[in-house]
Amino acid sequence: MGGQIYSHSLAAIVPEFWKEAPLERPIVEKRIWFLTKDSKVSLSHKNPAFGAPPFNSFTVLRAKFDKWFVQKAVQKGAFYIPETLVEDVIREGKGKIIGVKTGRTQGELFAPVVVAADGVNSLLSKNASLHAEISPQNVALAVKEIIAMPKERIQDLFDLSGDQGLTIEIMGEITRGMVGVGFIYTNLTTVSVGLGCILSDWVNYKISPYDLIEEMKNHPVVKPLLSGGKIREYLAHLIPEGGYNAIPPLYADGLLVVGDAAMMVNGLHQEGSNLAMTSGRLAAETIIEAHKSGDFSAGRLSRYKKLLEESYVMKDLKKYRNSYPYLEGNRQLFTIYPQIINDAATEIIRVDGVPKLVKQAKIISATFKKRNLWGLAKDAFSAWRAFR
Amino acid sequence: MNLEDKLFLDRYVVDEIPHLRIINLDKCAICKKQQCLYTCPAQCYKLEEGRVVVSYEGCLECGTCRIICDEYKNIEWKYPRGGFGICYKYG
């Protein structure tokens, strides 16, 4: 299930990919919405520079994008075997990994090194005993709909020129207090709409994803943007959001783990595909080096981890290592704060003969009613500690 | 649009071999939360005459059921065989 790919990490693999890849729209604007039951405060940044080479990010539909991407690998000499399920790793005795077992008859494949790039559910790295089952606190469950609309209508509704696109992240009412966000991404002739929340929250709040996505689409602020659209597809996917503290071992004798399989997602910034591409590239560089000596031991492959640590991948994951515990322990960010911001905005904007000084006092006292001074100070301090 | 109609839009190549299996039905009977019934985004788990039953055909292969069944670990979860399962047209 796709969303955005990032120019910086893809161009490092396929230079000037935008000339040939099946992309949807270059993203020139990002909006963040804070919603209550019926109102919103929107924060946005738009820069046309993002809409010209080398670009910043693009929306993609993975069914199309992945077909192109795999062909790029094939052109470089990769042997691609589609419609084949990898079931397990093959070990030499009880030791090093020397290949994989597939679902085909006589489907054993041998290789000096295996790269587990099998996504969030990585049964491969689990079978290789690198980690136990993921905990429900460490993944988000996202559901999404692809909604078709005429190109011009998308441009008008979202104030876009030509093929340029935007993304909207939505905090507040629509997750009913669960830790998570909603999103609207513009594609060329479709819009991707959905929301993702921490899996343990779906369980504890007893909320069904198919109910909540309907509720979101019917929110008075969201609904007008989707009117007249036709649902084309309904999707569900897990996003590994456990962060730095949940990263499994990244290498073993004859094995490397990359991307979602290695928990490489920066949920706060909605980044993941870039971390996956960069980790894949660094795994490849490690393997090329290892080929020179013919040594694929864990010791030699540990270079992969070192390269990751030197890159933005581990640095960013480390920076935000306390962000999930923080968000889980501070649910008021998803409930009380959007309400406070919206109420204040309404009060300031409404012209009703009340003197501004009185309005100001009203806003302050209403804010303190929802969260006292100590609470506000504590939130600010712990946010600084979690995100610095 | 309700969930059944949405799932009808998705394209599946249904395998005759189920890729989801409840390991021990007795455990579901004593499970208090039965969180699979409401968290599965394709509603593959339903109560029939008081018993939890699974229908794998509409599965979106997200992995939710396997991870949330953390008390009894009672769901055997595999991907469908190669060439089968959900085939997203958009993704």
Side-chain angles (χ1 to χ4, degrees), chain A residues 358-376:
Chain A
V358 177
K359 279 179 178 283
Q360 214 171 301
K362 254 172 97 179
I363 291 170
I364 291 169
S365 86
T367 302
F368 284 164
K369 251 182 224 155
K370 294 191 187 78
R371 193 88 181 139
N372 63 28
L373 191 57
W374 168 245
L376 292 169

Side-chain angles (χ1 to χ4, degrees), chain A residues 269-280:
Chain A
H269 289 261
Q270 290 87 41
E271 292 177 27
S273 62
N274 54 333
L275 282 69
M277 286 181 189
T278 301
S279 65

Side-chain angles (χ1 to χ4, degrees), chain B residues 1-13:
Chain B
M1 191 185 276
N2 67 29
L3 180 66
E4 276 98 283
D5 291 336
K6 282 184 201 173
L7 292 173
F8 194 70
L9 296 171
D10 290 348
R11 195 176 148 248
Y12 297 91
V13 184

